[in-house]
């Protein structure tokens, strides 16, 4: 591409920061100005009032100013328009074309049935003659409808387009930021963050870049996210103060995000009455403690009226909790829920609780069992505004885990499913690892057996009263938001799957590609789209192949969790072992001879997981210790599968890198170079994984590779 073309690309790839900051320009991700071309070239009427309607008007006005369209805001006049964005209750307009468009929306709703309600966030899109109408009950719905129109581009104005109704399946679609206010001596500014520093905090103080926080709110709203917590679940002294002395810092973030419908939550320490309030106890049954929480929470809502609630990690990995007072998790969560209830807030109480001082010699203790053992006996005891937040798997965001049995065992409790967008165990945003197919597989899993309810149904709950979907965020102060530009797709995909878990992850990736690399600003759109799919579609399985196949998990370097450390955790207190010896590998979690974890599942899956003969290959080593010569359903032996997948994974990364090179000159040079650098590192790391894992298991088993490849 010539220099002039490169300059044109920069205009849509980056967003200018305000001139009074020293911050560099930030990548526009899936909202480059070019993505608004189809909207901005048209005549648009915005009808309604409210803070989020003002946001819609601002977005449309900027697009029209750039691309030559026109925008009107009601009360308006008899004007010819191409697009109407209207609240249903905003009153009639003296414009036959506009009223016809609104009537088309109402007619479409009547056809859909169930009372024609859209809720706070839903919208309907319909055509009437030459006009496209987006109709919503509430301002948030109009905002989401606007971003849907942006996603559709010119297709939104197709005369043959049938009516569409869109409502989120999950009411709460939330990101947990593991950002530290003060820099942690080990974990840094962001714990498990792989994209630079925090968007919100810098060396103990607010970062102060409100323009970037606003841009972040746009990105989240455009993907479907409607809530975030702004600090780490591991709450240290400085972070604890956000609840009281430094509440103004949180309020400032909330003020910036509010116009995009993002509610702010806060991670708090269970010991706050002692740490902040000067009490001698944090016992949830103590009346003084209950009064302290009520007063502190009331103060929060006086400053942040739409505050979402608290996120709590308690009695886990050294964080304080109710166990210190002989109480259980329901006791601890309920005292916070009681304080939040008058204000409409919720408490997200994390179920990540286990003994992190285990003895590796004791095979009866199983970290995978812990959440079930702690929480299932408490089902029915949590207040209705408590959401028990459960990691999708029973261990810790591994590349492959079974779905947590807790999600099928607490019918009387609101449960949220927790994912990890930041790629702690999936390449840390130095490797291409598109997680959409994995998450979709998890959300569609039927824990009670084929034909039963899914994990998405659990998160939705009865009458949409479930806990929703939560994920650990992957964004930071990096120019590209996520370090690796292609890792942006994971954040976008999370928001879209949280809106509708039934969406096809490949179709979501298509959306992300067409927004991030708009066809009108790309040298060869068909080549770009096809190449990105070829690189990303199977990248999660590629990562699995060259790291830890068959569900073995946790063969990572301790501490930073990056790169191979096959025995890194094997003899530590954290309880994550593969038990490889000269005879075999894997953890026996059967009921008959192991830890009994398999029996925590409903009968269908308990039976499937109980036997090596019926257990799916991809989870075999999670549930069973088997000989190296055990024959998989695929027909390969375990040891040969280890060799084959690690060689295949490295070869697939080499192909990824070659495919990416075909895009040189086709896309923005800055994006191309960053991805190329990351693919070089992925190739180096994948080779290291292959050589260390294969050598380790060759030396353990003594079984040579039947294909005669080099194993050291």
């Amino acid at each position: 591409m010539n220099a002039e073309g490169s300059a044109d690309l920069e205009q849509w790839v980056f967003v200018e920061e305000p001139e009074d900051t020293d911050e560099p320009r930030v990548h526009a991700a899936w909202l480059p100005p070019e993505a608004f071309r189809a909207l901005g070239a048209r005549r648009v009427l915005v009808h309604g009032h409210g803070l989020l309607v003002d946001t819609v008007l601002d977005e449309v006005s900027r697009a029209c100013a750039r691309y030559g369209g026109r925008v009107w805001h009601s009360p308006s006049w008899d004007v010819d328009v191409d697009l109407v964005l209207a609240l249903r209750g905003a009153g009639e307009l003296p414009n036959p074309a506009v009223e016809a468009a609104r009537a088309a929306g109402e007619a479409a709703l009547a056809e859909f049935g169930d009372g024609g309600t859209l809720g706070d966030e839903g919208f309907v899109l319909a055509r009437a003659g030459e006009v496209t109408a987006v109709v919503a009950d509430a301002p948030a719905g109009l905002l989401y409808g606007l971003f849907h129109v942006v996603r559709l581009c010119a297709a939104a104005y197709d005369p043959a387009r049938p009516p569409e109704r869109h409502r989120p399946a999950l009411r709460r679609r939330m990101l947990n930021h593991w950002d530290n206010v003060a820099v942690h001596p080990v974990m840094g500014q962001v714990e498990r963050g792989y994209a630079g520093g925090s968007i919100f905090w810098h060396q103990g103080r607010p970062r102060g870049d409100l323009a970037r926080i606003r841009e972040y709110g746009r990105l989240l709203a455009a993907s479907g996210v409607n809530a975030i917590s702004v600090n780490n679940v591991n709450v240290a002294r400085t972070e604890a103060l956000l609840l009281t002395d430094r509440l103004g810092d949180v309020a400032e973030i909330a003020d910036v995000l509010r116009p995009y419908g993002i509610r702010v939550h806060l991670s708090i320490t269970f010991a706050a009455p002692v740490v902040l309030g000067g009490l001698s106890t944090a016992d949830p049954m103590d009346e003084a403690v209950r009064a302290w929480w009520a007063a502190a929470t009331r103060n929060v809502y006086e400053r942040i009226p739409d505050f979402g609630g608290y996120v709590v990690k308690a009695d886990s990995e050294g964080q304080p909790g109710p166990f210190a007072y002989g109480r259980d998790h329901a006791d601890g969560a309920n005292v916070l829920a009681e304080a939040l209830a008058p204000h409409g807030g919720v408490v997200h109480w994390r179920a990540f609780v286990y003994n992190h001082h285990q003895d590796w010699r004791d095979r009866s203790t199983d970290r995978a069992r812990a959440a079930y053992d702690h929480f299932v006996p408490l089902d029915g005891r949590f207040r209705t505004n408590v959401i028990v937040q459960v990691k999708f798997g029973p261990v810790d965001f591994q590349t492959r885990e079974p779905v947590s049995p807790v999600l099928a065992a607490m019918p009387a409790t609101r449960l949220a499913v927790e994912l990890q967008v930041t790629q702690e165990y999936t390449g840390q945003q130095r490797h291409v690892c598109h997680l959409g197919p994995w998450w979709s597989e998890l959300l569609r899993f039927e824990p009670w057996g084929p034909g039963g309810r899914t994990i998405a149904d659990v998160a939705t709950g009865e009458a949409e009263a479930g806990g929703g979907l939560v994920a650990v965020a992957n964004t930071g102060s990096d120019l590209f938001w996520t370090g690796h530009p292609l890792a942006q797709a994971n954040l976008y995909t999370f928001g879209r799957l949280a809106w509708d878990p039934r969406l096809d992850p490949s179709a979501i990736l298509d959306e992300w590609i067409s927004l991030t690399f708009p066809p009108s600003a790309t040298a060869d759109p068909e080549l770009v789209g096809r190449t990105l799919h070829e690189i990303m579609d199977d990248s999660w399985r590629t990562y699995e192949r060259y790291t830890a196949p068959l569900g073995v998990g946790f063969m990572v370097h301790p501490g930073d969790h990056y790169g191979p450390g096959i025995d890194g955790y094997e003899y530590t207190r954290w309880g994550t072992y593969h038990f490889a010896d000269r005879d075999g590998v894997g953890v026996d979690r059967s009921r008959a001879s192991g830890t009994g974890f398999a029996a925590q599942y409903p009968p269908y899956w308990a039976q499937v997981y109980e036997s090596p003969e019926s257990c799916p290959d991809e989870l075999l080593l999670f549930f069973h210790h088997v000989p190296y010569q055990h024959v998989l359903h695929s027909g390969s032996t375990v040891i040969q599968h280890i060799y084959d997948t690690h060689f295949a994974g490295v070869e697939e990364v080499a192909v990824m890198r070659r495919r990416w090179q075909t895009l040189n000159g086709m896309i923005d040079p800055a994006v191309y170079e960053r991805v190329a650098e990351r693919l070089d590192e992925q190739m180096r790391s994948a080779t290291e994984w292959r050589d260390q894992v294969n050598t380790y298991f060759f030396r353990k088993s003594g079984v040579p590779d039947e294909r005669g490849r080099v194993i050291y």
Side-chain angles (χ1 to χ4, degrees):
M1 180 171 291
N2 59 33
E4 182 179 355
S6 298
D8 290 343
L9 281 174
E10 285 191 1
Q11 291 176 11
W12 63 262
V13 169
F14 294 99
V15 172
E16 295 284 354
E17 293 290 333
E19 293 181 1
D20 60 350
T21 75
D22 294 326
E23 293 293 316
R25 292 178 302 170
V26 60
H27 187 243
W30 51 87
L31 288 182
E34 187 66 22
F36 288 76
R37 178 180 289 275
L39 169 69
R42 285 175 165 81
R43 300 161 299 177
V44 185
L45 174 65
V46 179
H47 183 49
H49 296 280
L51 179 62
L52 272 64
V53 177
D54 292 343
T55 302
V56 171
L57 182 62
D58 177 65
E59 292 283 345
V60 174
S61 298
R62 286 193 289 153
C64 289
R66 179 180 289 268
Y67 293 111
R70 294 192 64 186
V71 59
W72 293 270
H73 186 208
S74 64
S76 195
W77 324 263
D78 190 5
V79 294
D80 292 326
V81 296
D82 306 299
L83 172 67
V84 177
L85 297 150
L87 293 181
R88 295 176 74 188
E92 295 185 0
L93 285 173
N95 185 324
V98 170
E99 284 304 317
R102 287 215 303 176
E106 295 290 347
L109 278 175
E111 288 184 17
F112 289 121
D114 59 31
T117 60
L118 291 165
D120 291 340
E121 298 179 309
F123 61 92
V124 64
L125 183 147
R127 288 281 299 178
E130 298 299 315
V131 181
T132 296
V134 174
V135 178
D137 285 345
L142 211 60
L143 180 66
Y144 290 122
L146 165 70
F147 285 125
H148 182 63
V149 168
V150 173
R151 276 195 297 273
L152 292 175
C153 298
Y157 311 97
D158 183 351
R161 190 170 192 87
E164 306 170 16
R165 182 181 63 177
H166 297 269
R167 294 184 300 190
L170 306 177
R171 294 174 61 186
R172 187 166 283 101
R173 309 172 299 279
M174 183 175 182
L175 288 175
N176 286 170
H177 274 263
W178 285 1
D179 297 17
N180 299 310
V181 179
V183 177
H184 189 277
V186 176
M187 294 298 177
Q189 192 76 70
V190 183
E191 181 170 340
R192 306 304 178 195
Y194 310 107
S198 171
I199 296 170
F200 309 114
W201 317 108
H202 181 66
Q203 296 183 350
R205 305 302 305 169
R207 188 174 186 87
D209 188 354
L210 300 183
R212 179 146 191 177
I213 295 174
R214 182 184 184 278
E215 193 65 24
Y216 188 45
R218 292 182 73 232
L219 292 175
L220 296 186
S223 67
V225 172
N226 67 356
I228 65 168
S229 58
V230 296
N231 63 305
N232 195 353
V233 293
N234 294 317
V235 180
R237 171 68 187 182
T238 303
E239 290 70 32
L241 290 169
L242 296 177
L243 181 62
T244 53
D245 297 16
R246 300 188 59 173
L247 180 60
D249 296 341
V250 182
E252 185 175 54
I253 296 170
D255 290 344
V256 175
L257 293 177
R258 187 173 294 113
Y260 284 95
I262 313 294
R263 295 182 73 177
V264 165
H265 296 238
L266 189 63
S267 294
I268 54 95
T269 174
F270 187 78
V274 176
V275 174
L276 303 174
L279 302 185
S280 61
T281 180
D283 184 350
M285 297 304 181
D286 187 288
E287 287 303 320
V289 169
R290 301 168 85 93
W292 187 89
W293 278 115
T297 303
R298 185 166 55 250
N299 184 58
V300 171
Y301 279 92
E302 288 173 356
R303 184 62 183 83
I304 311 173
D306 58 349
F307 180 70
Y310 300 137
V311 179
V312 186
K313 177 178 178 179
D315 286 312
S316 177
E317 299 183 333
Q319 290 294 305
F323 287 0
Y325 307 99
R327 313 301 184 186
D328 59 33
H329 291 288
D331 297 327
N334 286 343
V335 69
L336 300 174
E338 180 182 85
L340 288 160
H343 313 284
V346 297
V347 53
H348 283 77
W349 191 273
R350 297 180 81 237
F352 185 56
V353 177
Y354 68 100
N355 174 13
H356 68 293
H357 292 285
Q358 296 180 32
D359 185 342
W360 61 269
R361 302 166 186 84
D362 177 12
R363 293 203 178 192
S364 65
T365 302
D366 184 2
R367 174 171 169 177
R369 290 185 55 102
Y372 187 104
D373 290 342
H374 279 296
F375 283 88
V376 171
L378 304 178
D379 187 37
R381 286 194 47 218
F382 292 95
R383 290 181 63 117
T384 56
N385 62 326
V386 174
I387 296 172
V388 174
Q389 186 168 312
V390 184
K391 287 189 178 185
F392 75 81
V395 181
D396 193 14
F397 300 130
Q398 296 303 290
T399 310
R400 177 83 71 167
E401 293 186 50
V403 168
S404 172
V406 176
L407 295 170
M410 300 186 70
T413 304
R414 296 176 71 187
L415 300 178
V417 180
E418 180 179 317
L419 307 174
Q420 193 185 52
V421 187
T422 192
Q423 297 170 226
E424 180 179 357
Y425 296 102
T426 53
Q428 299 189 356
Q429 289 152 221
R430 286 178 266 188
H431 297 220
V432 180
C433 188
H434 180 49
L435 296 170
W438 180 208
W439 294 337
S440 180
E441 187 176 305
L442 293 167
L443 292 168
R444 294 167 190 248
F445 181 75
E446 298 163 335
W448 291 275
R453 296 174 67 233
T454 66
I455 294 300
D457 292 329
V458 173
T460 303
E462 298 294 333
E464 299 183 354
L469 206 61
V470 181
V472 183
N474 69 338
T475 42
S477 61
D478 184 85
L479 181 68
F480 293 99
W481 295 99
T482 58
H484 198 312
L486 303 190
Q488 293 174 6
N490 284 332
L491 180 57
Y492 181 82
T493 299
F494 166 75
R496 297 292 285 132
L497 285 175
W499 180 278
D500 185 355
R502 300 164 300 179
L503 292 174
D504 177 2
S506 181
I508 296 174
L509 186 58
D510 274 335
E511 290 179 2
W512 177 79
I513 291 170
S514 65
L515 289 168
T516 308
F517 303 92
S520 58
T522 304
D524 188 339
E526 193 277 332
L527 175 64
V528 171
R530 183 178 71 250
T531 302
L532 285 168
H533 270 286
E534 289 170 345
I535 290 171
M536 299 175 71
D537 279 347
D538 204 41
S539 56
W540 156 58
R541 292 180 178 87
T542 292
Y543 185 86
E544 180 184 29
R545 289 179 189 112
Y546 65 75
T547 54
L550 302 175
V552 67
F554 258 109
M555 299 193 303
V556 293
H557 188 273
D560 65 11
H561 295 171
Y562 185 74
I566 297 90
D567 277 339
Y569 280 97
E570 191 64 15
Y571 306 103
T572 72
R573 61 186 183 172
W574 300 97
T576 51
Y577 317 124
H578 53 70
F579 292 133
D581 55 29
R582 66 180 183 180
D583 299 316
V585 59
V587 183
D588 185 354
R589 292 188 164 105
S590 69
R591 176 171 44 193
S593 57
T595 68
F597 169 73
Q600 291 184 338
Y601 288 87
Y604 177 86
W605 288 106
Q607 183 176 357
V608 169
Y609 294 145
E610 177 67 17
S611 166
E613 284 66 42
S614 56
C615 185
D617 285 350
E618 64 269 19
L619 292 172
L620 178 66
L621 301 185
F622 192 95
F623 283 100
H624 298 283
H625 187 87
V626 298
Y628 292 109
Q629 298 286 18
H630 175 85
V631 178
L632 301 169
H633 297 115
S634 67
S636 176
T637 63
V638 166
I639 189 64
Q640 193 60 43
H641 180 89
I642 291 172
Y643 297 154
D644 288 346
T645 53
H646 283 81
F647 279 110
V650 174
E651 292 169 2
E652 288 163 13
V653 174
V655 172
M656 281 183 187
R657 190 163 59 166
R658 289 197 298 270
R659 284 173 170 157
W660 183 254
Q661 289 166 355
T662 66
L663 299 185
N664 193 3
M666 300 287 177
I667 60 174
D668 171 62
V671 175
Y672 176 83
E673 290 300 331
R674 175 65 70 88
V675 174
E677 291 169 4
R678 297 292 162 113
L679 283 168
D680 287 345
E681 165 56 19
Q682 185 169 357
M683 187 68 198
R684 183 208 64 79
S685 181
T687 303
E688 182 180 38
W689 272 99
R690 178 198 66 193
D691 291 344
Q692 290 199 25
V693 172
N694 281 349
T695 296
Y696 178 93
F697 284 102
F698 172 62
R699 294 179 180 181
K700 282 283 186 182
S701 69
V703 179
D705 173 27
E706 64 184 25
R707 299 173 65 180
R709 292 163 294 196
V710 175
I711 297 178
Y712 299 94

